[in-house]
Amino acid sequence: MAYKSRLQGLGILVLCVLLSPTMTAAQQPMLNLIPVPAHLQTGSGSLRVDPSFSVALTGYAEPRLDRAVDRFLQQLARQTALPLTMKPMKSPKATLVIQTEHPGKEIQEVGENESYVLEVSATGAKLTAPTPLGTMHGLQTFLQLVNVSPDGFAAPAVTIQDQPRFPWRGLMIDSARHFIPPGVIKRNLDGMEAVKMNVFHWHISDNQGFRIESKKFPKLHELGSDGLYYTQEEIRDVIAYARDRGIRVVPEFDMPGHSTAWFVGHPELASGKGPYEIERRWGIFDAAMDPTSERVYKLLDDFISEMAKTFPDRFFHIGGDEVNGKEWDANPKIQAYMKAHGIKNGQGLQAYFSGRVQKLVVKHGKVVVGWDEVLVPGVPKDIVIQSWRGQASLAQAAKQGYRGILSNGYYLDLGWPAARHYAVDPMSGDATNLAPEEKQHILGGESCMWAEYVNPENVDSRIWPRNAAIAERLWSPEDVRDPTSMYARLDFISARLEWLGLTHKMYYRKMLQRIAGPSSPEEFAALRTLTDVMEPVKDYTREQTAPAEPTSATPMNRVVDAVPLESDAGRHFGELVDQYVAGTCRDASLADQLRGQLAVWRDNDQRLQPLAQRSFLVKEVAARSQDLSALAAAGLAALDAIAKGQPASDSWKSQQLAKMEQAKKPKAQLLLIPAPGTQKLVEAAAAGGACFAAKP
Amino acid sequence: MAYKSRLQGLGILVLCVLLSPTMTAAQQPMLNLIPVPAHLQTGSGSLRVDPSFSVALTGYAEPRLDRAVDRFLQQLARQTALPLTMKPMKSPKATLVIQTEHPGKEIQEVGENESYVLEVSATGAKLTAPTPLGTMHGLQTFLQLVNVSPDGFAAPAVTIQDQPRFPWRGLMIDSARHFIPPGVIKRNLDGMEAVKMNVFHWHISDNQGFRIESKKFPKLHELGSDGLYYTQEEIRDVIAYARDRGIRVVPEFDMPGHSTAWFVGHPELASGKGPYEIERRWGIFDAAMDPTSERVYKLLDDFISEMAKTFPDRFFHIGGDEVNGKEWDANPKIQAYMKAHGIKNGQGLQAYFSGRVQKLVVKHGKVVVGWDEVLVPGVPKDIVIQSWRGQASLAQAAKQGYRGILSNGYYLDLGWPAARHYAVDPMSGDATNLAPEEKQHILGGESCMWAEYVNPENVDSRIWPRNAAIAERLWSPEDVRDPTSMYARLDFISARLEWLGLTHKMYYRKMLQRIAGPSSPEEFAALRTLTDVMEPVKDYTREQTAPAEPTSATPMNRVVDAVPLESDAGRHFGELVDQYVAGTCRDASLADQLRGQLAVWRDNDQRLQPLAQRSFLVKEVAARSQDLSALAAAGLAALDAIAKGQPASDSWKSQQLAKMEQAKKPKAQLLLIPAPGTQKLVEAAAAGGACFAAKP
């Protein structure tokens, strides 16, 4: 119904689009859109964006739409530096005419219509959408279309019919392990809006902090947060800010584990004796709520009642992950209770607890979301499973009729390259084999920013730009999956995101300046040459490789805290090596480029050494600098050998490979990204293979 | 008296300092302090700054000092990323003990004691000051001392006894020609605090805008500002913010000229017939207040009364510059009045007007400041002359017993290199010949940021870091004048200023990204290689070279709006050439460095061309890119000739010099900074001089 009325509203232009042969999304020309729209057809010419640009809001009206247009115009003015008229008009003669059909839900719902049609021609643009959500998405698409052109700013002529593949496209931010101030949350909501994500999952309590004001139980935040918490006013402000951007806010109160911070003010909730202190370390801890205590459920009833009113969203996340059960095992009262009630083990006890809490959540009008672990036999069918331990559990849940969202594969803190996240699809893995009606249960996914090693200074850089690749996975058609195209568009959107106030690019030079201290331009450039090709160790190895046990008080001023999680320079080098070797090492221009890059790296250590003498933070990476130098020398020697046309000797090869092994080892918790590429060069130089066979 | 009590407070440590042979300021070791303190003596060792760092406030207490310490600790935490205790203590065992002797004036006064003594040893630090102003200055010095060291963050052991050379050290910001929002003003106040400037001169009305809310005459801001004005609440907030940073706020209401924006709402004030509109162009215009109308003085009386209450400072600036008198000449009523009152010409009429307005200002309890032009015979002796037309007028004023401040030589909008501003001294030029008691009348100086070509996006970059060089000129002893040392310290402070939220560095990449549009890293690097060596045309040539008449609605998105006013890369190249030629072209390493740089420039044009095809903003500088390439080729040819050991032929020389002339011409309102340096290489290659004579 909504779709039909939209088509009628569009009239003849849409008909043309429907009659023309449309390209599949994967065939679409490069338009720097992230996420790639569902259907796109390019037209001819482009729409000039100059100071006469105007916007008209027609159809359904609400203040949220006015604000969306205000934001749109501000952003357009920022992108172009044109003196635009900042007030929308009512005239159908405006450059961009927006037609919204009807209101959205008062509380944004999962699966609400988010579609829109955007037609841009040389003479004007029309954006039509059934609901304000679609309108807002379409405005973001328009902003991405506008660029500098040979004769001014312009948007290419294009017809886009777009809607999301999944209705749940989320970002989780953990603001418990390190407090993330409201302003930082907000700029990340701006980033989410730009890439059409629609759920902000707020991980707001954990062992390391209880970060929200409770009027009913003030000891929770007063004693559980070191004073670093959100007031209810701030929370409401963030929720309104998110709603304005088509984003739902789902709070998570992790229980019965991950809850030490609750017990500082309310030790009676815990299964152990206490007293409890805010946890400063990372990991899984013993403290857990007492599932056998009615006082626990009484407090949770009141608390959930309060929070259910604070967060209007239909969904309410109760965590449920990583309970080790040690406090339960150690508590005779709990053990007695289990025996009396036929509860066999910790898992059973957690299931009992989850069941009780779920009833409270339902009582207060909400639907439960929980991590994998809450999926135990007998759990009511309406809960939503957030799968973090693997894609299997998501498929398993869907098979059993539970709705699910995928986070396994989308953990931003693990430091994966964007392409690796991008390759993970909620419908891949075990989900491939689901029946169509079972697949319906998979609502989408959520990227997760766990905050052991992030703070307001570097958190944006740990989320962006990689999160945009995940946003595209969750919005765009399944066949949009070329990583090369994704990276090209990611570079573009990354620059654009800066205009929104995100600091994911500019933080880097500032952190390096702190690390370097007073330094000459040459010294600073040498530091940057090194740091540009390093990444923090991946997955969960950061704890294991730490020089001392990390805590929430550990300063985050080291190189490992500063370097981006994905090295662009390292990736480009790897691509170049692959191209060179795939072309049987015959391309002299590629060889020259590689040689130029390797020579810079080889000579860099010498330039960096004076700085390493003056700064302990640079000194920590001095060995990495030597490794880079050695690695580059090996790469240059490999290119020399290839140029000679004779495979290098075995002894040379094993000598060089030993250097590569050295370079591949993490030091100072950092990986040297050009190591595998250089190793390929060494292997090519040593093998009697294609690189030599093909030579004259 | 204040000084004596301070010495007593310091006790034995100061005695040691006084007994040791102290270095003159010019001999001081490089400590990256800007401004360089009056007296400094280095000690041995350094004070570690770690998470145990603490601050105690002792002596005189007031909330402003608490806030200063809060800011200090926040900034220290930002500089180091250490988890510091953010609350000051009372204990004398704190790492840094602050002792403030007594309160400052309720309204900060010119010449108030701003001195402080800062002693840092390996075991602790002590900051002693007679007033909160000195304490605040000393805290900024301490922040500049703290740096990364071989084993953690530390401040070197040092004893500093410091006070300013001049009591009036100002920055003027024109927020009339382009509106500068309060947040931008505030971050610039933070920058001023960091370099110990103490006057913010707010040029708040001009032809192009009346930017302050008047409760008595609301038509002034309602009709004279396009809605871009400061509310009185915002003004009060900025004044309080400034006072917290030891900065006075002097408002300027420019009259009788520069006042078109007044006349939009109040045409009865004008000498012409009207109607008037907000001026959109730049320059000197005819509109002027009517000095013969009593209605003018009546309104000004009420208006000055209102503004005198809003701005607590003792000084009140009435402008007075650049009246061309055309409206006066064209108005028979005014002409008749002049005849009747024996006023001979426009200058006489302006003197009459100034006299009347001065009386009103005095009536409302303030002292008048005015530009050069107000200094006419008979002006009362207590006014302050701000000299913009030359240093002669400052000396002349001082000779006549008027107090003066120097702005000639400190106009930031003229695009001079920092070193050129730095060389201007309020006591140089005609002031050199003043008697000591006449010199006393020179209160200091003010840098001026006129806003024809600045907006919130690039204004910080037009002020900083060059303004820090002027701040040093006005604070530090006269013999601190080595530009090499200044530039080294300027680079350092420039990076530090970014921590305060100033955007003078990060705006650049953003603006270039808008100019480039979607681009490969190589293309973007090529753009930056070019823009890094260009500067906007200097002085007042921007108007003259404009492609179309610039107005306040002209978009500021061109390369000329983006590039810094002083090219670091260009300056470094020039220094390198000077070194090379001064060394009779014998230093092979310098030759190699020059060759490397020139080769990059020569090849850059080719890399940039694809971008010039796609972006009109890049296309505008395509010819400059070709000039850079040609220039670099000439430079390389010159180095080749020198290497051959034979002077190049005259025909070669004149051919190359023709290219240099081409390169030196402004295009797209941009100068190619390496042109003069390259010319020196060409001349060295062609001359039979030292570069050849010295060769074997």
Side-chain angles (χ1 to χ4, degrees):
Chain A
M1 175 57 199
Y3 191 66
K4 194 174 155 214
S5 71
R6 193 173 70 250
L7 284 186
Q8 285 167 343
L10 284 175
I12 196 137
L13 252 170
V14 163
L15 280 178
C16 298
V17 174
L18 297 176
L19 295 172
S20 323
T22 52
M23 286 169 279
T24 69
Q27 293 169 321
Q28 284 168 12
M30 174 75 90
L31 275 172
N32 289 306
L33 299 175
I34 284 194
V36 163
H39 301 283
L40 179 152
Q41 185 170 19
T42 50
S44 59
S46 60
L47 174 66
R48 219 182 136 79
V49 175
D50 61 25
S52 73
F53 186 88
S54 56
V55 181
L57 270 170
T58 66
Y60 168 72
E62 67 172 28
R64 181 164 64 150
L65 283 169
D66 293 330
R67 290 193 295 268
V69 170
D70 277 356
R71 265 198 322 279
F72 167 83
L73 284 168
Q74 273 169 31
Q75 181 65 2
L76 193 61
R78 228 177 281 152
Q79 280 182 209
T80 60
L82 292 174
L84 302 177
T85 306
M86 299 309 272
K87 293 254 175 282
M89 45 199 279
K90 291 278 163 197
S91 159
K93 286 186 187 153
T95 324
L96 170 62
V97 177
I98 298 168
Q99 169 82 18
T100 309
E101 302 288 341
H102 54 70
K105 306 285 182 181
E106 202 172 334
I107 312 258
Q108 190 176 327
E109 287 183 8
V110 179
E112 232 184 294
N113 192 324
E114 298 181 83
S115 72
Y116 67 93
V117 175
L118 176 63
E119 305 155 78
V120 181
S121 76
T123 54
K126 184 161 194 194
L127 170 60
T128 318
T131 74
L133 298 177
T135 302
M136 292 192 281
H137 292 319
L139 287 173
Q140 294 301 316
T141 302
F142 190 89
L143 285 173
Q144 291 185 3
L145 286 171
V146 176
N147 258 306
V148 72
S149 83
D151 47 3
F153 287 92
V158 75
T159 300
I160 289 170
Q161 190 282 310
D162 200 9
Q163 71 278 322
R165 181 172 164 222
F166 293 105
W168 190 303
R169 306 175 308 280
L171 166 65
M172 187 213 81
I173 296 179
D174 165 13
S175 48
R177 287 178 176 78
H178 281 99
F179 182 64
I180 309 292
V184 181
I185 298 287
K186 283 184 178 180
R187 70 191 187 213
N188 279 284
L189 291 169
D190 288 333
M192 291 173 69
E193 181 187 27
V195 297
K196 303 183 171 59
M197 275 189 156
N198 67 354
V199 182
F200 169 47
H201 168 172
W202 207 341
H203 187 84
I204 207 162
S205 73
D206 210 308
N207 298 311
Q208 294 81 4
F210 190 95
R211 303 285 182 206
I212 179 170
E213 177 191 25
S214 169
K215 306 257 188 206
K216 285 192 184 167
F217 304 100
K219 279 192 286 183
L220 285 172
H221 65 273
E222 283 169 5
L223 298 177
S225 75
D226 298 309
L228 296 171
Y229 63 88
Y230 308 100
T231 64
Q232 293 213 351
E233 194 183 330
E234 285 169 333
I235 295 277
R236 269 189 290 272
D237 180 48
V238 166
I239 292 168
Y241 194 90
R243 176 173 164 79
D244 257 9
R245 285 151 183 80
I247 298 168
R248 300 164 39 222
V249 179
V250 178
E252 177 187 352
F253 297 94
D254 207 348
M255 56 181 98
H258 284 287
S259 49
T260 312
W262 299 60
F263 307 153
V264 186
H266 287 273
E268 76 279 11
L269 300 177
S271 306
K273 281 190 190 122
Y276 291 88
E277 285 183 6
I278 295 174
E279 184 57 65
R280 308 290 170 191
R281 298 162 300 161
W282 313 132
I284 301 174
F285 300 97
D286 302 346
M289 291 184 187
D290 181 353
T292 69
S293 159
E294 287 306 316
R295 290 173 69 186
V296 168
Y297 300 113
K298 177 72 190 73
L299 181 143
L300 287 179
D301 190 0
D302 288 348
F303 177 75
I304 291 170
S305 158
E306 179 183 11
M307 291 302 145
K309 287 188 197 91
T310 307
F311 291 91
D313 198 76
R314 276 281 282 158
F315 293 81
F316 195 93
H317 203 305
I318 58 166
D321 57 320
E322 299 185 324
V323 187
N324 70 14
K326 286 189 188 167
E327 274 199 354
W328 294 342
D329 295 345
N331 182 327
K333 192 191 72 116
I334 293 177
Q335 291 302 313
Y337 185 95
M338 286 167 73
K339 200 171 246 175
H341 292 76
I343 299 170
K344 283 184 199 133
N345 53 22
Q347 204 195 350
L349 189 61
Q350 182 170 351
Y352 169 73
F353 175 81
S354 294
R356 292 285 304 265
V357 175
Q358 281 157 34
K359 284 200 187 76
L360 297 176
V361 171
V362 170
K363 171 179 161 191
H364 297 295
K366 305 285 180 177
V367 177
V368 161
V369 189
W371 299 102
D372 280 349
E373 288 94 329
V374 302
L375 183 63
V376 289
V379 167
K381 289 287 175 193
D382 73 335
I383 74 164
V384 176
I385 303 297
Q386 181 163 14
S387 174
W388 72 281
R389 290 188 302 189
Q391 285 191 264
S393 61
L394 183 70
Q396 195 193 337
K399 234 186 170 53
Q400 294 174 38
Y402 293 96
R403 289 177 293 178
I405 46 183
L406 183 65
S407 281
N408 180 269
Y410 299 143
Y411 269 29
L412 295 164
D413 51 306
L414 300 188
W416 296 6
R420 188 169 169 193
H421 291 306
Y422 192 60
V424 175
D425 193 298
M427 292 302 181
S428 67
D430 290 25
T432 321
N433 302 320
L434 292 175
E437 66 278 11
E438 289 165 352
K439 283 187 175 175
Q440 292 289 327
H441 292 129
I442 297 180
L443 300 177
E446 271 186 14
S447 54
C448 294
M449 182 73 265
W450 297 105
E452 282 90 344
Y453 301 106
V454 302
N455 63 11
E457 186 171 34
N458 72 356
V459 63
D460 293 5
S461 76
R462 274 50 189 147
I463 297 175
W464 305 100
R466 297 177 306 140
N467 189 49
I470 299 171
E472 172 156 299
R473 172 61 47 244
L474 299 172
W475 176 283
S476 301
E478 196 169 357
D479 64 344
V480 176
R481 47 193 316 114
D482 172 29
T484 308
S485 158
M486 180 276 288
Y487 272 120
R489 291 177 291 111
L490 202 63
D491 282 348
F492 168 78
I493 198 72
S494 186
R496 278 290 166 90
L497 289 169
E498 277 205 295
W499 294 103
L500 297 171
L502 284 164
T503 62
H504 61 296
K505 287 171 83 90
M506 66 173 226
Y507 85 103
Y508 181 38
R509 197 189 61 236
K510 284 189 183 179
M511 287 191 76
L512 289 185
Q513 259 149 357
R514 178 196 289 140
I515 287 164
S519 49
S520 72
E522 294 69 30
E523 289 168 341
F524 192 77
L527 176 61
R528 179 133 190 189
T529 296
L530 173 64
T531 59
D532 272 356
V533 294
M534 299 197 295
E535 294 175 8
V537 291
K538 305 287 156 191
D539 300 315
Y540 293 108
T541 49
R542 182 136 179 205
E543 266 86 357
Q544 298 151 21
T545 56
E549 185 176 14
T551 72
S552 50
T554 304
M556 284 198 276
N557 53 17
R558 296 162 60 215
V559 172
V560 67
D561 300 304
V563 295
L565 296 191
E566 182 166 17
S567 156
D568 288 338
R571 177 164 57 82
H572 291 147
F573 178 75
E575 288 164 0
L576 218 56
V577 168
D578 287 347
Q579 253 182 289
Y580 177 69
V581 173
T584 62
C585 311
R586 294 173 98 179
D587 189 324
S589 150
L590 285 177
D592 281 352
Q593 283 181 60
L594 287 170
R595 209 177 276 280
Q597 177 64 81
L598 289 164
V600 169
W601 290 339
R602 180 197 54 201
D603 302 338
N604 195 61
D605 183 50
Q606 202 188 338
R607 297 192 294 148
L608 185 66
Q609 285 311 320
L611 213 50
Q613 302 305 312
R614 299 204 303 269
S615 161
F616 75 108
L617 294 169
V618 178
K619 194 171 190 177
E620 195 194 356
V621 295
R624 287 276 74 171
S625 175
Q626 287 156 11
D627 288 341
L628 179 65
S629 185
L631 173 155
L636 285 165
L639 289 172
D640 285 346
I642 293 169
K644 281 199 198 118
Q646 288 292 331
S649 70
D650 282 355
S651 73
W652 178 87
K653 182 184 173 186
S654 56
Q655 207 185 345
Q656 304 307 317
L657 289 183
K659 285 187 204 165
M660 296 301 115
E661 286 313 306
Q662 188 62 18
K664 283 199 279 183
K665 277 186 201 152
K667 285 180 195 162
Q669 304 187 280
L670 289 160
L671 300 173
L672 217 44
I673 303 307
T678 310
Q679 182 164 340
K680 283 183 196 168
L681 291 179
V682 168
E683 280 162 357
C691 280
F692 294 97
K695 295 254 168 197
Chain B
M1 174 58 199
Y3 191 66
K4 193 173 157 215
S5 70
R6 194 172 70 251
L7 284 186
Q8 284 167 346
L10 285 174
I12 197 136
L13 252 168
V14 163
L15 279 179
C16 298
V17 174
L18 296 177
L19 293 173
S20 322
T22 52
M23 286 168 277
T24 71
Q27 294 170 320
Q28 285 168 11
M30 173 78 88
L31 274 172
N32 288 305
L33 299 176
I34 283 195
V36 164
H39 302 283
L40 179 153
Q41 183 169 19
T42 50
S44 60
S46 60
L47 175 65
R48 219 180 136 80
V49 174
D50 61 24
S52 72
F53 185 88
S54 56
V55 181
L57 269 171
T58 65
Y60 168 71
E62 68 175 23
R64 182 163 67 149
L65 283 169
D66 292 331
R67 291 192 295 268
V69 169
D70 277 356
R71 269 200 318 282
F72 167 83
L73 284 168
Q74 273 169 29
Q75 181 66 1
L76 193 62
R78 229 177 281 151
Q79 281 182 209
T80 59
L82 293 173
L84 302 177
T85 306
M86 299 309 272
K87 295 253 175 283
M89 45 200 279
K90 292 277 165 201
S91 157
K93 285 186 186 155
T95 323
L96 170 63
V97 177
I98 298 169
Q99 168 84 17
T100 309
E101 302 289 340
H102 54 71
K105 305 287 180 181
E106 202 171 335
I107 313 262
Q108 190 176 326
E109 287 182 11
V110 179
E112 228 184 297
N113 191 325
E114 299 181 82
S115 73
Y116 67 92
V117 175
L118 175 63
E119 305 155 79
V120 181
S121 74
T123 54
K126 183 161 196 196
L127 170 61
T128 318
T131 75
L133 298 176
T135 302
M136 292 191 280
H137 292 318
L139 287 172
Q140 294 301 318
T141 303
F142 190 89
L143 285 173
Q144 291 185 4
L145 287 172
V146 176
N147 260 305
V148 73
S149 83
D151 48 2
F153 288 91
V158 74
T159 301
I160 290 171
Q161 190 281 311
D162 201 9
Q163 73 278 323
R165 180 172 163 222
F166 294 105
W168 188 304
R169 307 175 307 280
L171 166 64
M172 187 213 80
I173 296 180
D174 166 13
S175 50
R177 287 177 177 80
H178 280 100
F179 182 64
I180 308 293
V184 180
I185 298 287
K186 283 184 179 180
R187 69 192 187 212
N188 279 284
L189 292 169
D190 287 334
M192 289 173 69
E193 182 188 26
V195 297
K196 304 184 171 57
M197 274 190 156
N198 67 354
V199 182
F200 169 46
H201 168 172
W202 207 342
H203 187 84
I204 206 161
S205 74
D206 210 307
N207 297 309
Q208 294 82 2
F210 190 96
R211 304 286 182 206
I212 180 169
E213 177 189 25
S214 169
K215 306 258 189 207
K216 286 192 183 167
F217 304 100
K219 281 192 285 183
L220 286 171
H221 66 273
E222 283 169 5
L223 299 176
S225 75
D226 299 307
L228 296 170
Y229 63 88
Y230 308 98
T231 64
Q232 293 213 352
E233 194 183 331
E234 285 169 333
I235 296 278
R236 268 190 290 272
D237 180 46
V238 166
I239 292 168
Y241 194 90
R243 176 173 163 81
D244 258 8
R245 285 150 184 80
I247 298 168
R248 300 164 39 221
V249 179
V250 178
E252 177 187 352
F253 297 95
D254 206 347
M255 55 181 98
H258 285 284
S259 49
T260 312
W262 298 60
F263 306 153
V264 187
H266 287 274
E268 77 278 10
L269 300 178
S271 306
K273 280 190 189 119
Y276 291 89
E277 287 182 3
I278 295 173
E279 185 56 65
R280 307 291 170 190
R281 297 162 301 162
W282 313 134
I284 300 174
F285 300 97
D286 303 344
M289 291 183 187
D290 182 352
T292 70
S293 158
E294 287 306 316
R295 291 174 67 188
V296 168
Y297 299 113
K298 175 73 192 73
L299 182 142
L300 287 179
D301 190 0
D302 288 348
F303 177 76
I304 292 170
S305 157
E306 179 183 10
M307 292 302 145
K309 286 188 196 89
T310 308
F311 292 90
D313 198 75
R314 275 281 283 160
F315 292 81
F316 195 93
H317 203 305
I318 59 165
D321 56 322
E322 298 185 325
V323 187
N324 69 15
K326 287 189 188 168
E327 275 198 355
W328 294 341
D329 294 344
N331 184 328
K333 194 193 70 125
I334 292 176
Q335 290 302 312
Y337 185 96
M338 286 168 73
K339 199 170 250 176
H341 292 76
I343 298 170
K344 282 185 199 133
N345 53 21
Q347 208 197 346
L349 189 60
Q350 182 171 352
Y352 169 72
F353 175 82
S354 294
R356 293 284 303 264
V357 175
Q358 281 158 31
K359 285 200 186 77
L360 297 176
V361 171
V362 170
K363 171 180 161 189
H364 296 295
K366 305 285 181 178
V367 176
V368 161
V369 189
W371 299 102
D372 279 349
E373 288 94 327
V374 303
L375 183 64
V376 288
V379 168
K381 290 286 176 195
D382 72 335
I383 75 165
V384 176
I385 303 298
Q386 182 163 13
S387 174
W388 73 281
R389 293 189 301 190
Q391 285 191 264
S393 60
L394 183 70
Q396 196 191 336
K399 235 184 172 49
Q400 294 176 36
Y402 293 96
R403 288 176 294 177
I405 48 183
L406 183 66
S407 281
N408 180 269
Y410 300 143
Y411 269 28
L412 294 165
D413 51 306
L414 300 187
W416 295 6
R420 190 169 166 193
H421 291 305
Y422 192 59
V424 175
D425 193 299
M427 293 302 182
S428 67
D430 290 24
T432 321
N433 303 319
L434 294 174
E437 65 280 10
E438 290 165 350
K439 285 189 175 174
Q440 292 289 328
H441 292 129
I442 297 181
L443 299 178
E446 272 187 14
S447 54
C448 294
M449 181 73 265
W450 296 105
E452 282 89 345
Y453 301 106
V454 302
N455 63 11
E457 187 172 31
N458 70 357
V459 63
D460 293 5
S461 76
R462 274 53 189 146
I463 297 175
W464 306 99
R466 295 176 308 141
N467 188 50
I470 299 171
E472 172 157 300
R473 172 60 47 244
L474 299 173
W475 177 284
S476 301
E478 197 170 357
D479 64 344
V480 177
R481 48 192 317 116
D482 172 29
T484 308
S485 157
M486 180 276 288
Y487 272 120
R489 291 177 290 111
L490 202 62
D491 283 349
F492 168 77
I493 198 74
S494 186
R496 279 289 165 92
L497 288 169
E498 277 206 294
W499 294 103
L500 298 171
L502 283 165
T503 63
H504 62 296
K505 286 171 84 90
M506 66 173 226
Y507 86 104
Y508 181 41
R509 196 189 61 234
K510 284 190 183 180
M511 286 193 78
L512 289 184
Q513 259 149 357
R514 178 197 289 141
I515 287 165
S519 50
S520 71
E522 292 70 29
E523 289 168 340
F524 192 77
L527 176 61
R528 180 136 190 186
T529 296
L530 173 64
T531 59
D532 273 356
V533 294
M534 298 196 296
E535 292 176 9
V537 290
K538 305 288 156 189
D539 300 315
Y540 293 108
T541 49
R542 183 137 176 203
E543 266 88 355
Q544 299 150 21
T545 56
E549 185 176 14
T551 72
S552 51
T554 303
M556 282 198 277
N557 53 19
R558 295 162 61 216
V559 171
V560 68
D561 300 305
V563 295
L565 297 192
E566 182 167 15
S567 156
D568 288 339
R571 177 164 56 82
H572 291 147
F573 178 74
E575 289 165 0
L576 218 56
V577 168
D578 287 347
Q579 251 183 291
Y580 177 68
V581 174
T584 62
C585 311
R586 294 172 99 179
D587 189 323
S589 148
L590 285 176
D592 281 351
Q593 283 181 61
L594 288 169
R595 208 177 278 279
Q597 178 62 83
L598 289 165
V600 169
W601 290 340
R602 180 196 55 200
D603 301 339
N604 195 60
D605 184 50
Q606 201 188 339
R607 297 192 294 147
L608 184 67
Q609 285 311 320
L611 212 51
Q613 301 305 312
R614 299 203 304 270
S615 161
F616 76 108
L617 294 170
V618 177
K619 195 172 187 176
E620 196 194 355
V621 296
R624 287 276 74 170
S625 175
Q626 286 155 12
D627 288 341
L628 180 65
S629 185
L631 174 154
L636 286 164
L639 290 172
D640 285 346
I642 293 169
K644 280 198 199 114
Q646 289 291 330
S649 70
D650 281 354
S651 71
W652 178 87
K653 182 185 174 187
S654 55
Q655 208 183 345
Q656 304 308 318
L657 288 183
K659 284 187 203 165
M660 296 301 114
E661 286 313 306
Q662 189 62 21
K664 283 199 279 183
K665 277 186 202 151
K667 286 181 194 163
Q669 304 185 279
L670 289 160
L671 301 173
L672 217 45
I673 303 308
T678 310
Q679 182 164 338
K680 282 184 197 167
L681 290 179
V682 167
E683 280 162 356
C691 280
F692 295 97
K695 295 254 166 198

